Amino acid sequence: MIQRQPFLKAVKSCTGIQKVSLHYGSASKIKEQEDSNNAKPAEVMREIPIKFQTSSGSYILDTIRYATSSGRSDTTFKPPKILIDENDEKALPLYKYHIPTNSFQKVVLSVGAAAAALLDPRRADMVAVLGETTGYAALSKLFSSMIQDTEGQQILLDKPRINSSILNLNELAKLPEGTLGHAYIRFLEDNQVTPDSRLPVQFVDEPELAYIMQRYREAHDLFHTVLGMPTNMLGEVTVKWIEGIQTGLPMCIGGAIFGPLRFKPKQRQKYISTYLPWAIRVGKSSKLLMNVYFEKRWEQSLAELRQELGIEEPPI
């Protein structure tokens, strides 16, 4: 027997279950531990049960603990290691739509997707693949940042989705003008976009990180809404700068750097003099947008939300 990942291969080997799904439980347990004889800051232990589901019920398999203390951050994404049979070579899908890939396959996918996206930035499918195959380190850091934030942790526990089958778009449209919900519907209508246009994640080999990538995609239009940016080239590049600074995703950084190459002279001048400095300031000083539970803030004033998050008035 050897120690190897991924987690769901172990589930199959140890239990004989053919189809399972890995996700966090619906509640968290927080314990504070402080040694009065130790001068070190108090350490907070966050315990989140990991479960798998079968047709006969849901079972807790293990608990991952994340330690945090003031002045340092050591919460990194470390998937559990389970003993499995070394002869079990076939990888199970870890979540719906998951396609298991090895390192070489990820490199090939990354190169091909990058080339296709550069030739045609409208290829959302290629941009999505590039984000998944190059984003593991950034997604791990995002997980660490979210698990240390009260609102971010709740997002990871609840795993909300943003699509028309879950959101009541008609009710959001009825909210008072100036609220987040009303502004979001107006953004969708003005830019002729839909929350159902985001592709499912396929190539991220950890379920928790796959959810973070999916959350990023589905919340992207809400980022636009809160930042007051349209979906034209100038607006997209501006949002990509803020996303790149905050998330560290190579896809976002690449879009921020190479996107301006397609600007026309007037766009470039406005970008350099106004939009770029604004985006850098907001990206560095505002709260991490991935830690905003937008679904609980529909009725909040957009101006109040921007002030809370530390977002300067958009240069529109």
Side-chain angles (χ1 to χ4, degrees):
M1 304 293 282
I2 60 172
Q3 282 192 329
R4 195 183 339 142
Q5 298 169 344
F7 189 40
L8 288 188
K9 289 176 68 176
V11 173
K12 179 184 178 184
S13 177
C14 296
T15 67
I17 296 170
Q18 297 301 311
K19 184 178 181 181
V20 297
S21 62
L22 177 63
H23 59 89
Y24 278 119
S26 60
S28 66
K29 182 180 180 182
I30 299 179
K31 293 193 276 186
E32 296 189 4
Q33 298 178 339
E34 183 173 3
D35 186 348
S36 59
N37 297 324
N38 195 330
K40 294 182 178 180
E43 184 175 68
V44 179
M45 294 299 295
R46 290 177 168 84
E47 297 186 358
I48 301 180
I50 292 181
K51 296 182 179 182
F52 72 91
Q53 285 187 326
T54 69
S55 58
S56 59
S58 180
Y59 305 88
I60 294 179
L61 290 181
D62 197 0
T63 297
I64 294 183
R65 296 176 176 82
Y66 302 90
T68 65
S69 64
S70 57
R72 67 184 179 88
S73 173
D74 57 0
T75 58
T76 55
F77 183 82
K78 297 178 180 178
K81 294 182 179 179
I82 306 296
L83 290 176
I84 64 173
D85 190 336
E86 61 183 339
N87 294 320
D88 183 16
E89 295 295 337
K90 187 176 181 180
L92 279 173
L94 300 178
Y95 50 86
K96 188 177 181 180
Y97 302 115
H98 176 233
I99 301 176
T101 50
N102 57 37
S103 298
F104 175 75
Q105 290 170 324
K106 281 184 171 58
V107 170
V108 173
L109 284 169
S110 298
V111 173
L118 284 173
L119 291 173
D120 185 0
R122 294 170 297 181
R123 288 291 303 274
D125 55 341
M126 292 295 97
V127 174
V129 170
L130 182 63
E132 295 173 27
T133 55
T134 62
Y136 184 88
L139 291 171
S140 298
K141 290 181 181 179
L142 272 175
F143 180 92
S144 178
S145 297
M146 293 178 73
I147 204 68
Q148 294 181 78
D149 181 86
T150 302
E151 201 167 349
Q153 183 184 116
Q154 196 61 49
I155 292 171
L156 291 177
L157 291 169
D158 296 345
K159 291 184 171 52
R161 298 294 303 274
I162 301 174
N163 55 59
S164 61
S165 65
I166 295 175
L167 300 180
N168 190 329
L169 301 181
N170 291 329
E171 289 300 317
L172 292 181
K174 295 176 183 177
L175 290 174
E177 188 171 353
T179 61
L180 172 63
H182 187 275
Y184 176 58
I185 296 300
R186 185 173 179 179
F187 170 86
L188 296 178
E189 293 175 348
D190 289 348
N191 294 280
Q192 299 182 344
V193 294
T194 168
D196 299 325
S197 62
R198 303 303 172 183
L199 296 171
V201 175
Q202 296 177 297
F203 300 107
V204 178
D205 293 331
E206 298 294 348
E208 292 306 311
L209 303 189
Y211 171 74
I212 292 175
M213 177 60 82
Q214 192 69 45
R215 175 68 178 181
Y216 159 73
R217 285 182 188 169
E218 295 178 0
H220 178 74
D221 289 337
L222 278 160
F223 296 168
H224 272 273
T225 303
V226 173
L227 295 169
M229 288 292 125
T231 57
N232 58 26
M233 196 65 180
L234 186 56
E236 285 292 353
V237 170
T238 302
V239 172
K240 279 291 180 285
W241 268 107
I242 296 171
E243 291 176 341
I245 292 171
Q246 288 199 348
T247 69
L249 286 166
M251 170 192 65
C252 297
I253 296 172
I257 293 174
F258 295 107
L261 297 178
R262 293 178 174 269
F263 284 168
K264 296 178 180 179
K266 287 185 178 180
Q267 286 180 311
R268 187 172 293 108
Q269 183 180 3
K270 186 183 294 186
Y271 166 72
I272 294 174
S273 64
T274 304
Y275 284 77
L276 177 58
W278 179 85
I280 293 175
R281 289 196 305 270
V282 171
K284 289 183 176 180
S285 63
S286 64
K287 177 179 176 178
L288 178 64
L289 293 177
M290 287 292 292
N291 279 337
V292 180
Y293 206 145
F294 295 103
E295 296 89 333
K296 295 183 180 294
R297 295 172 174 266
W298 293 128
E299 299 180 8
Q300 185 175 2
S301 162
L302 182 57
E304 177 186 305
L305 178 58
R306 284 173 178 164
Q307 184 176 12
E308 178 186 338
L309 300 179
I311 297 174
E312 298 179 23
E313 191 67 22
I316 298 296

